[in-house]
Amino acid sequence: MNIIVSKEIEQVCPDFVGAAVEAYCKNTPYSEALWGEINSLAERYKAELTTETLKQLPGIEATRRVYKKCGKDPSRYRPASEALIRRVLQGKSLYQIDTLVDLINLASIAYGYSIGGFDADKFHGDTLTLGVGRAGEPYEGIGRGLINIEGLPVYRDADGGVGTPTSDNERTKIDINTTHLMVLINGYDGNEQHVRENAEFIQDLLRKYCDSDGGQYTVYR
């Protein structure tokens, strides 16, 4: 899969760096050991963060800044990493979906990046382009129905939008039968080392919980 960062994104975030993790794996409905890791991190965050200070985490702060530059209100359309950690800090449990989705959520809250997780076999074409959502552009967020992605960074395949930092698209979502995974890490803070560490963390989780060799990752900008 070729990944292109458009001029639109370069203009609002010249330091953007992303990583794509591609792996073959086995999904399962639930992993008790994985949830032990999720709950341990959640307890740590409750002791260290508030719903205000979490906005200062570099990955979240940078994503919110890009939203504003693109004309989107980050408090109305929260980046997924912020929404997940905010939920934890409010004393709510994270949604339990399946092992692949749950480990991507763990990777997101652990590093503060909004991460897209996709069934790679559902992509159309061989290229993903990261651009900015347009007025009236159709987009069905997972569990959200049609959402307004105007002003949101969005990855598009040959048939349209598949992922934003707020919500991925129903069309390319992971399900229990997913065996070909693509994960996109969005480093709007430009910290390549941190993005790489996030990718390697995901590979490690895949080895532990999804009967995978961890696949491979590539960095793009």
Side-chain angles (χ1 to χ4, degrees):
M1 183 64 68
N2 302 308
I3 302 177
I4 298 170
V5 178
S6 72
K7 295 294 184 183
E8 291 176 300
I9 294 297
E10 290 180 358
Q11 288 173 355
V12 296
C13 188
D15 296 327
F16 174 85
V17 57
V21 181
E22 185 173 6
Y24 288 92
C25 52
K26 180 181 179 181
N27 201 3
T28 56
Y30 177 77
S31 169
E32 183 176 357
L34 172 62
W35 273 91
E37 289 198 44
I38 293 171
N39 291 330
S40 176
L41 182 57
E43 290 305 311
R44 197 185 94 200
Y45 277 176
K46 288 177 187 177
E48 296 177 353
L49 294 173
T50 69
T51 54
E52 287 304 311
T53 61
L54 80 90
K55 297 176 185 178
Q56 299 167 13
L57 295 176
I60 292 174
E61 191 277 331
T63 306
R64 289 176 62 90
R65 184 171 64 249
V66 168
Y67 273 35
K68 291 176 181 177
K69 287 184 177 180
C70 292
K72 208 68 169 176
D73 181 356
S75 294
R76 182 177 179 189
Y77 293 86
R78 295 187 192 280
S81 52
E82 179 185 349
L84 289 167
I85 299 173
R86 184 181 178 85
R87 185 173 179 84
V88 165
L89 298 179
Q90 291 173 334
K92 302 173 183 177
S93 298
L94 293 182
Y95 299 107
Q96 191 274 309
I97 309 298
D98 57 48
T99 300
L100 282 176
V101 173
D102 297 343
L103 76 79
I104 290 168
N105 285 343
L106 171 58
S108 180
I109 65 175
Y111 284 81
Y113 293 129
S114 290
I115 300 175
F118 309 92
D119 186 322
D121 291 338
K122 296 178 181 178
F123 288 138
H124 294 165
D126 62 0
T127 301
L128 295 174
T129 302
L130 177 58
V132 178
R134 298 182 288 264
E137 184 171 358
Y139 190 94
E140 185 178 1
I142 297 175
R144 293 170 173 256
L146 294 177
I147 63 173
N148 173 16
I149 66 166
E150 181 181 5
L152 283 179
V154 57
Y155 288 95
R156 299 183 181 95
D157 68 4
D159 280 0
V162 297
T164 75
T166 291
S167 176
D168 292 331
N169 197 301
E170 282 280 351
R171 174 166 64 85
T172 49
K173 75 176 182 181
I174 293 165
D175 61 37
I176 197 64
N177 297 311
T178 296
T179 58
H180 185 190
L181 178 71
M182 175 70 80
V183 180
L184 301 177
I185 302 166
N186 296 287
Y188 288 98
D189 61 353
N191 188 334
E192 181 175 336
Q193 180 179 344
H194 205 230
V195 168
R196 287 183 179 275
E197 290 171 357
N198 199 171
E200 291 162 4
F201 180 66
I202 290 169
Q203 289 182 300
D204 185 51
L205 293 176
L206 289 170
R207 294 184 190 103
K208 288 196 289 185
Y209 301 121
C210 295
D211 193 21
S212 173
D213 66 1
Q216 59 185 1
Y217 78 87
T218 55
V219 171
Y220 56 95
R221 57 178 75 243

PDB file of all heavy atoms in Angstrom, residues 71-101:
ATOM      1  N   GLY A  71      -9.869  24.227  10.613  1.00  0.00           N
ATOM      2  CA  GLY A  71     -11.190  24.792  10.820  1.00  0.00           C
ATOM      3  C   GLY A  71     -12.147  23.901  11.581  1.00  0.00           C
ATOM      4  O   GLY A  71     -13.364  24.109  11.537  1.00  0.00           O
ATOM      5  N   LYS A  72     -11.618  22.921  12.332  1.00  0.00           N
ATOM      6  CA  LYS A  72     -12.471  21.993  13.081  1.00  0.00           C
ATOM      7  C   LYS A  72     -12.301  22.233  14.574  1.00  0.00           C
ATOM      8  O   LYS A  72     -11.184  22.464  15.063  1.00  0.00           O
ATOM      9  CB  LYS A  72     -12.083  20.546  12.744  1.00  0.00           C
ATOM     10  CG  LYS A  72     -13.229  19.548  12.890  1.00  0.00           C
ATOM     11  CD  LYS A  72     -14.284  19.796  11.842  1.00  0.00           C
ATOM     12  CE  LYS A  72     -15.302  18.664  11.777  1.00  0.00           C
ATOM     13  NZ  LYS A  72     -16.369  18.973  10.811  1.00  0.00           N
ATOM     14  N   ASP A  73     -13.393  22.158  15.314  1.00  0.00           N
ATOM     15  CA  ASP A  73     -13.368  22.339  16.764  1.00  0.00           C
ATOM     16  C   ASP A  73     -12.967  21.020  17.428  1.00  0.00           C
ATOM     17  O   ASP A  73     -13.747  20.063  17.426  1.00  0.00           O
ATOM     18  CB  ASP A  73     -14.751  22.774  17.254  1.00  0.00           C
ATOM     19  CG  ASP A  73     -14.808  23.006  18.760  1.00  0.00           C
ATOM     20  OD1 ASP A  73     -13.797  22.750  19.447  1.00  0.00           O
ATOM     21  OD2 ASP A  73     -15.874  23.419  19.253  1.00  0.00           O
ATOM     22  N   PRO A  74     -11.761  20.940  18.030  1.00  0.00           N
ATOM     23  CA  PRO A  74     -11.305  19.671  18.607  1.00  0.00           C
ATOM     24  C   PRO A  74     -12.043  19.268  19.881  1.00  0.00           C
ATOM     25  O   PRO A  74     -11.901  18.132  20.336  1.00  0.00           O
ATOM     26  CB  PRO A  74      -9.824  19.925  18.889  1.00  0.00           C
ATOM     27  CG  PRO A  74      -9.727  21.401  19.093  1.00  0.00           C
ATOM     28  CD  PRO A  74     -10.740  21.993  18.156  1.00  0.00           C
ATOM     29  N   SER A  75     -12.817  20.176  20.448  1.00  0.00           N
ATOM     30  CA  SER A  75     -13.609  19.806  21.620  1.00  0.00           C
ATOM     31  C   SER A  75     -14.957  19.225  21.220  1.00  0.00           C
ATOM     32  O   SER A  75     -15.601  18.539  22.022  1.00  0.00           O
ATOM     33  CB  SER A  75     -13.807  21.031  22.529  1.00  0.00           C
ATOM     34  OG  SER A  75     -12.571  21.450  23.081  1.00  0.00           O
ATOM     35  N   ARG A  76     -15.377  19.476  19.993  1.00  0.00           N
ATOM     36  CA  ARG A  76     -16.616  18.880  19.493  1.00  0.00           C
ATOM     37  C   ARG A  76     -16.331  17.579  18.760  1.00  0.00           C
ATOM     38  O   ARG A  76     -17.085  16.619  18.860  1.00  0.00           O
ATOM     39  CB  ARG A  76     -17.331  19.867  18.565  1.00  0.00           C
ATOM     40  CG  ARG A  76     -18.665  19.325  18.057  1.00  0.00           C
ATOM     41  CD  ARG A  76     -19.392  20.338  17.190  1.00  0.00           C
ATOM     42  NE  ARG A  76     -20.651  19.802  16.701  1.00  0.00           N
ATOM     43  CZ  ARG A  76     -21.417  20.396  15.790  1.00  0.00           C
ATOM     44  NH1 ARG A  76     -21.048  21.551  15.280  1.00  0.00           N
ATOM     45  NH2 ARG A  76     -22.542  19.835  15.396  1.00  0.00           N
ATOM     46  N   TYR A  77     -15.252  17.567  17.997  1.00  0.00           N
ATOM     47  CA  TYR A  77     -14.827  16.363  17.277  1.00  0.00           C
ATOM     48  C   TYR A  77     -13.481  15.936  17.868  1.00  0.00           C
ATOM     49  O   TYR A  77     -12.427  16.221  17.314  1.00  0.00           O
ATOM     50  CB  TYR A  77     -14.683  16.657  15.782  1.00  0.00           C
ATOM     51  CG  TYR A  77     -15.985  16.968  15.089  1.00  0.00           C
ATOM     52  CD1 TYR A  77     -16.495  18.262  15.082  1.00  0.00           C
ATOM     53  CD2 TYR A  77     -16.711  15.976  14.443  1.00  0.00           C
ATOM     54  CE1 TYR A  77     -17.692  18.560  14.452  1.00  0.00           C
ATOM     55  CE2 TYR A  77     -17.911  16.266  13.801  1.00  0.00           C
ATOM     56  CZ  TYR A  77     -18.390  17.559  13.811  1.00  0.00           C
ATOM     57  OH  TYR A  77     -19.586  17.845  13.183  1.00  0.00           O
ATOM     58  N   ARG A  78     -13.528  15.291  19.027  1.00  0.00           N
ATOM     59  CA  ARG A  78     -12.294  14.992  19.743  1.00  0.00           C
ATOM     60  C   ARG A  78     -11.452  13.950  19.001  1.00  0.00           C
ATOM     61  O   ARG A  78     -11.979  12.953  18.507  1.00  0.00           O
ATOM     62  CB  ARG A  78     -12.600  14.454  21.138  1.00  0.00           C
ATOM     63  CG  ARG A  78     -13.273  15.460  22.058  1.00  0.00           C
ATOM     64  CD  ARG A  78     -13.396  14.919  23.472  1.00  0.00           C
ATOM     65  NE  ARG A  78     -14.277  15.745  24.272  1.00  0.00           N
ATOM     66  CZ  ARG A  78     -13.921  16.887  24.849  1.00  0.00           C
ATOM     67  NH1 ARG A  78     -12.676  17.310  24.718  1.00  0.00           N
ATOM     68  NH2 ARG A  78     -14.790  17.589  25.547  1.00  0.00           N
ATOM     69  N   PRO A  79     -10.130  14.152  18.959  1.00  0.00           N
ATOM     70  CA  PRO A  79      -9.262  13.083  18.479  1.00  0.00           C
ATOM     71  C   PRO A  79      -9.481  11.827  19.319  1.00  0.00           C
ATOM     72  O   PRO A  79      -9.725  11.912  20.527  1.00  0.00           O
ATOM     73  CB  PRO A  79      -7.855  13.658  18.694  1.00  0.00           C
ATOM     74  CG  PRO A  79      -8.046  15.148  18.696  1.00  0.00           C
ATOM     75  CD  PRO A  79      -9.387  15.377  19.330  1.00  0.00           C
ATOM     76  N   ALA A  80      -9.391  10.674  18.690  1.00  0.00           N
ATOM     77  CA  ALA A  80      -9.732   9.416  19.371  1.00  0.00           C
ATOM     78  C   ALA A  80      -8.875   9.182  20.606  1.00  0.00           C
ATOM     79  O   ALA A  80      -9.373   8.708  21.634  1.00  0.00           O
ATOM     80  CB  ALA A  80      -9.600   8.256  18.399  1.00  0.00           C
ATOM     81  N   SER A  81      -7.576   9.498  20.534  1.00  0.00           N
ATOM     82  CA  SER A  81      -6.707   9.275  21.695  1.00  0.00           C
ATOM     83  C   SER A  81      -7.188  10.086  22.896  1.00  0.00           C
ATOM     84  O   SER A  81      -7.234   9.591  24.032  1.00  0.00           O
ATOM     85  CB  SER A  81      -5.262   9.646  21.354  1.00  0.00           C
ATOM     86  OG  SER A  81      -5.190  10.952  20.808  1.00  0.00           O
ATOM     87  N   GLU A  82      -7.563  11.336  22.652  1.00  0.00           N
ATOM     88  CA  GLU A  82      -8.073  12.185  23.734  1.00  0.00           C
ATOM     89  C   GLU A  82      -9.393  11.647  24.270  1.00  0.00           C
ATOM     90  O   GLU A  82      -9.608  11.580  25.486  1.00  0.00           O
ATOM     91  CB  GLU A  82      -8.273  13.619  23.236  1.00  0.00           C
ATOM     92  CG  GLU A  82      -8.829  14.544  24.304  1.00  0.00           C
ATOM     93  CD  GLU A  82      -9.149  15.940  23.794  1.00  0.00           C
ATOM     94  OE1 GLU A  82      -8.748  16.265  22.662  1.00  0.00           O
ATOM     95  OE2 GLU A  82      -9.809  16.696  24.531  1.00  0.00           O
ATOM     96  N   ALA A  83     -10.285  11.242  23.371  1.00  0.00           N
ATOM     97  CA  ALA A  83     -11.587  10.732  23.799  1.00  0.00           C
ATOM     98  C   ALA A  83     -11.439   9.477  24.655  1.00  0.00           C
ATOM     99  O   ALA A  83     -12.161   9.293  25.656  1.00  0.00           O
ATOM    100  CB  ALA A  83     -12.461  10.442  22.580  1.00  0.00           C
ATOM    101  N   LEU A  84     -10.501   8.605  24.283  1.00  0.00           N
ATOM    102  CA  LEU A  84     -10.296   7.364  25.036  1.00  0.00           C
ATOM    103  C   LEU A  84      -9.752   7.654  26.436  1.00  0.00           C
ATOM    104  O   LEU A  84     -10.262   7.123  27.431  1.00  0.00           O
ATOM    105  CB  LEU A  84      -9.335   6.447  24.278  1.00  0.00           C
ATOM    106  CG  LEU A  84      -9.867   5.797  23.007  1.00  0.00           C
ATOM    107  CD1 LEU A  84      -8.725   5.178  22.206  1.00  0.00           C
ATOM    108  CD2 LEU A  84     -10.920   4.741  23.331  1.00  0.00           C
ATOM    109  N   ILE A  85      -8.722   8.497  26.514  1.00  0.00           N
ATOM    110  CA  ILE A  85      -8.147   8.798  27.824  1.00  0.00           C
ATOM    111  C   ILE A  85      -9.139   9.583  28.675  1.00  0.00           C
ATOM    112  O   ILE A  85      -9.266   9.356  29.883  1.00  0.00           O
ATOM    113  CB  ILE A  85      -6.824   9.569  27.677  1.00  0.00           C
ATOM    114  CG1 ILE A  85      -5.807   8.730  26.911  1.00  0.00           C
ATOM    115  CG2 ILE A  85      -6.266   9.937  29.052  1.00  0.00           C
ATOM    116  CD1 ILE A  85      -4.521   9.469  26.568  1.00  0.00           C
ATOM    117  N   ARG A  86      -9.864  10.485  28.064  1.00  0.00           N
ATOM    118  CA  ARG A  86     -10.873  11.264  28.780  1.00  0.00           C
ATOM    119  C   ARG A  86     -11.912  10.326  29.409  1.00  0.00           C
ATOM    120  O   ARG A  86     -12.329  10.520  30.557  1.00  0.00           O
ATOM    121  CB  ARG A  86     -11.542  12.242  27.815  1.00  0.00           C
ATOM    122  CG  ARG A  86     -12.560  13.181  28.442  1.00  0.00           C
ATOM    123  CD  ARG A  86     -13.168  14.083  27.376  1.00  0.00           C
ATOM    124  NE  ARG A  86     -14.175  14.950  27.922  1.00  0.00           N
ATOM    125  CZ  ARG A  86     -13.943  16.125  28.494  1.00  0.00           C
ATOM    126  NH1 ARG A  86     -12.712  16.569  28.586  1.00  0.00           N
ATOM    127  NH2 ARG A  86     -14.937  16.853  28.966  1.00  0.00           N
ATOM    128  N   ARG A  87     -12.312   9.309  28.658  1.00  0.00           N
ATOM    129  CA  ARG A  87     -13.278   8.342  29.175  1.00  0.00           C
ATOM    130  C   ARG A  87     -12.733   7.642  30.426  1.00  0.00           C
ATOM    131  O   ARG A  87     -13.436   7.467  31.416  1.00  0.00           O
ATOM    132  CB  ARG A  87     -13.617   7.327  28.084  1.00  0.00           C
ATOM    133  CG  ARG A  87     -14.700   6.341  28.464  1.00  0.00           C
ATOM    134  CD  ARG A  87     -15.117   5.455  27.292  1.00  0.00           C
ATOM    135  NE  ARG A  87     -16.131   4.513  27.723  1.00  0.00           N
ATOM    136  CZ  ARG A  87     -17.427   4.772  27.786  1.00  0.00           C
ATOM    137  NH1 ARG A  87     -17.862   5.965  27.422  1.00  0.00           N
ATOM    138  NH2 ARG A  87     -18.284   3.860  28.212  1.00  0.00           N
ATOM    139  N   VAL A  88     -11.463   7.251  30.364  1.00  0.00           N
ATOM    140  CA  VAL A  88     -10.826   6.609  31.509  1.00  0.00           C
ATOM    141  C   VAL A  88     -10.834   7.534  32.727  1.00  0.00           C
ATOM    142  O   VAL A  88     -11.165   7.131  33.851  1.00  0.00           O
ATOM    143  CB  VAL A  88      -9.379   6.208  31.150  1.00  0.00           C
ATOM    144  CG1 VAL A  88      -8.576   5.876  32.412  1.00  0.00           C
ATOM    145  CG2 VAL A  88      -9.374   5.019  30.195  1.00  0.00           C
ATOM    146  N   LEU A  89     -10.471   8.805  32.502  1.00  0.00           N
ATOM    147  CA  LEU A  89     -10.377   9.766  33.603  1.00  0.00           C
ATOM    148  C   LEU A  89     -11.738  10.087  34.211  1.00  0.00           C
ATOM    149  O   LEU A  89     -11.823  10.514  35.365  1.00  0.00           O
ATOM    150  CB  LEU A  89      -9.690  11.046  33.123  1.00  0.00           C
ATOM    151  CG  LEU A  89      -8.247  10.886  32.637  1.00  0.00           C
ATOM    152  CD1 LEU A  89      -7.692  12.226  32.173  1.00  0.00           C
ATOM    153  CD2 LEU A  89      -7.365  10.291  33.725  1.00  0.00           C
ATOM    154  N   GLN A  90     -12.794   9.892  33.442  1.00  0.00           N
ATOM    155  CA  GLN A  90     -14.153  10.100  33.949  1.00  0.00           C
ATOM    156  C   GLN A  90     -14.676   8.879  34.696  1.00  0.00           C
ATOM    157  O   GLN A  90     -15.823   8.863  35.132  1.00  0.00           O
ATOM    158  CB  GLN A  90     -15.088  10.438  32.786  1.00  0.00           C
ATOM    159  CG  GLN A  90     -14.824  11.808  32.175  1.00  0.00           C
ATOM    160  CD  GLN A  90     -15.640  12.075  30.928  1.00  0.00           C
ATOM    161  OE1 GLN A  90     -16.046  11.144  30.220  1.00  0.00           O
ATOM    162  NE2 GLN A  90     -15.884  13.347  30.638  1.00  0.00           N
ATOM    163  N   GLY A  91     -13.829   7.868  34.838  1.00  0.00           N
ATOM    164  CA  GLY A  91     -14.212   6.673  35.592  1.00  0.00           C
ATOM    165  C   GLY A  91     -15.038   5.680  34.797  1.00  0.00           C
ATOM    166  O   GLY A  91     -15.636   4.754  35.376  1.00  0.00           O
ATOM    167  N   LYS A  92     -15.034   5.843  33.475  1.00  0.00           N
ATOM    168  CA  LYS A  92     -15.793   4.922  32.620  1.00  0.00           C
ATOM    169  C   LYS A  92     -14.857   3.857  32.052  1.00  0.00           C
ATOM    170  O   LYS A  92     -13.665   4.096  31.859  1.00  0.00           O
ATOM    171  CB  LYS A  92     -16.461   5.688  31.470  1.00  0.00           C
ATOM    172  CG  LYS A  92     -17.405   6.783  31.924  1.00  0.00           C
ATOM    173  CD  LYS A  92     -17.898   7.600  30.729  1.00  0.00           C
ATOM    174  CE  LYS A  92     -18.784   8.750  31.165  1.00  0.00           C
ATOM    175  NZ  LYS A  92     -19.203   9.601  30.012  1.00  0.00           N
ATOM    176  N   SER A  93     -15.417   2.696  31.765  1.00  0.00           N
ATOM    177  CA  SER A  93     -14.629   1.635  31.146  1.00  0.00           C
ATOM    178  C   SER A  93     -14.485   1.908  29.656  1.00  0.00           C
ATOM    179  O   SER A  93     -15.383   2.466  29.026  1.00  0.00           O
ATOM    180  CB  SER A  93     -15.306   0.274  31.342  1.00  0.00           C
ATOM    181  OG  SER A  93     -15.394  -0.046  32.712  1.00  0.00           O
ATOM    182  N   LEU A  94     -13.331   1.523  29.091  1.00  0.00           N
ATOM    183  CA  LEU A  94     -13.195   1.582  27.647  1.00  0.00           C
ATOM    184  C   LEU A  94     -14.108   0.535  27.021  1.00  0.00           C
ATOM    185  O   LEU A  94     -14.378  -0.513  27.608  1.00  0.00           O
ATOM    186  CB  LEU A  94     -11.745   1.317  27.232  1.00  0.00           C
ATOM    187  CG  LEU A  94     -10.715   2.367  27.638  1.00  0.00           C
ATOM    188  CD1 LEU A  94      -9.347   1.967  27.106  1.00  0.00           C
ATOM    189  CD2 LEU A  94     -11.095   3.739  27.129  1.00  0.00           C
ATOM    190  N   TYR A  95     -14.566   0.811  25.828  1.00  0.00           N
ATOM    191  CA  TYR A  95     -15.403  -0.148  25.120  1.00  0.00           C
ATOM    192  C   TYR A  95     -14.591  -1.399  24.808  1.00  0.00           C
ATOM    193  O   TYR A  95     -13.455  -1.311  24.340  1.00  0.00           O
ATOM    194  CB  TYR A  95     -15.937   0.453  23.816  1.00  0.00           C
ATOM    195  CG  TYR A  95     -16.794   1.677  24.016  1.00  0.00           C
ATOM    196  CD1 TYR A  95     -16.321   2.952  23.682  1.00  0.00           C
ATOM    197  CD2 TYR A  95     -18.075   1.569  24.552  1.00  0.00           C
ATOM    198  CE1 TYR A  95     -17.107   4.081  23.871  1.00  0.00           C
ATOM    199  CE2 TYR A  95     -18.869   2.700  24.737  1.00  0.00           C
ATOM    200  CZ  TYR A  95     -18.377   3.952  24.406  1.00  0.00           C
ATOM    201  OH  TYR A  95     -19.154   5.060  24.609  1.00  0.00           O
ATOM    202  N   GLN A  96     -15.159  -2.559  25.076  1.00  0.00           N
ATOM    203  CA  GLN A  96     -14.507  -3.813  24.723  1.00  0.00           C
ATOM    204  C   GLN A  96     -15.113  -4.282  23.410  1.00  0.00           C
ATOM    205  O   GLN A  96     -16.305  -4.562  23.329  1.00  0.00           O
ATOM    206  CB  GLN A  96     -14.702  -4.855  25.834  1.00  0.00           C
ATOM    207  CG  GLN A  96     -13.850  -6.102  25.680  1.00  0.00           C
ATOM    208  CD  GLN A  96     -14.481  -7.156  24.796  1.00  0.00           C
ATOM    209  OE1 GLN A  96     -15.644  -7.519  24.993  1.00  0.00           O
ATOM    210  NE2 GLN A  96     -13.728  -7.653  23.825  1.00  0.00           N
ATOM    211  N   ILE A  97     -14.307  -4.338  22.356  1.00  0.00           N
ATOM    212  CA  ILE A  97     -14.790  -4.674  21.015  1.00  0.00           C
ATOM    213  C   ILE A  97     -14.309  -6.063  20.607  1.00  0.00           C
ATOM    214  O   ILE A  97     -15.084  -7.019  20.537  1.00  0.00           O
ATOM    215  CB  ILE A  97     -14.330  -3.630  19.974  1.00  0.00           C
ATOM    216  CG1 ILE A  97     -14.680  -2.206  20.444  1.00  0.00           C
ATOM    217  CG2 ILE A  97     -14.976  -3.931  18.617  1.00  0.00           C
ATOM    218  CD1 ILE A  97     -16.149  -1.930  20.629  1.00  0.00           C
ATOM    219  N   ASP A  98     -13.048  -6.193  20.321  1.00  0.00           N
ATOM    220  CA  ASP A  98     -12.393  -7.465  20.043  1.00  0.00           C
ATOM    221  C   ASP A  98     -10.907  -7.234  20.255  1.00  0.00           C
ATOM    222  O   ASP A  98     -10.468  -6.097  20.493  1.00  0.00           O
ATOM    223  CB  ASP A  98     -12.722  -8.001  18.643  1.00  0.00           C
ATOM    224  CG  ASP A  98     -12.373  -7.034  17.525  1.00  0.00           C
ATOM    225  OD1 ASP A  98     -11.249  -6.489  17.522  1.00  0.00           O
ATOM    226  OD2 ASP A  98     -13.225  -6.800  16.644  1.00  0.00           O
ATOM    227  N   THR A  99     -10.110  -8.277  20.186  1.00  0.00           N
ATOM    228  CA  THR A  99      -8.713  -8.143  20.589  1.00  0.00           C
ATOM    229  C   THR A  99      -7.937  -7.159  19.727  1.00  0.00           C
ATOM    230  O   THR A  99      -7.158  -6.345  20.245  1.00  0.00           O
ATOM    231  CB  THR A  99      -8.031  -9.516  20.597  1.00  0.00           C
ATOM    232  OG1 THR A  99      -8.721 -10.370  21.528  1.00  0.00           O
ATOM    233  CG2 THR A  99      -6.578  -9.417  21.031  1.00  0.00           C
ATOM    234  N   LEU A 100      -8.129  -7.177  18.409  1.00  0.00           N
ATOM    235  CA  LEU A 100      -7.400  -6.243  17.553  1.00  0.00           C
ATOM    236  C   LEU A 100      -7.763  -4.794  17.854  1.00  0.00           C
ATOM    237  O   LEU A 100      -6.887  -3.934  17.995  1.00  0.00           O
ATOM    238  CB  LEU A 100      -7.657  -6.552  16.080  1.00  0.00           C
ATOM    239  CG  LEU A 100      -6.890  -7.729  15.478  1.00  0.00           C
ATOM    240  CD1 LEU A 100      -7.325  -7.958  14.029  1.00  0.00           C
ATOM    241  CD2 LEU A 100      -5.384  -7.511  15.550  1.00  0.00           C
ATOM    242  N   VAL A 101      -9.043  -4.505  17.937  1.00  0.00           N
ATOM    243  CA  VAL A 101      -9.465  -3.137  18.228  1.00  0.00           C
ATOM    244  C   VAL A 101      -9.005  -2.726  19.627  1.00  0.00           C
ATOM    245  O   VAL A 101      -8.521  -1.599  19.834  1.00  0.00           O
ATOM    246  CB  VAL A 101     -10.994  -2.998  18.096  1.00  0.00           C
ATOM    247  CG1 VAL A 101     -11.459  -1.613  18.557  1.00  0.00           C
ATOM    248  CG2 VAL A 101     -11.434  -3.239  16.658  1.00  0.00           C
TER     249      VAL A 101
END
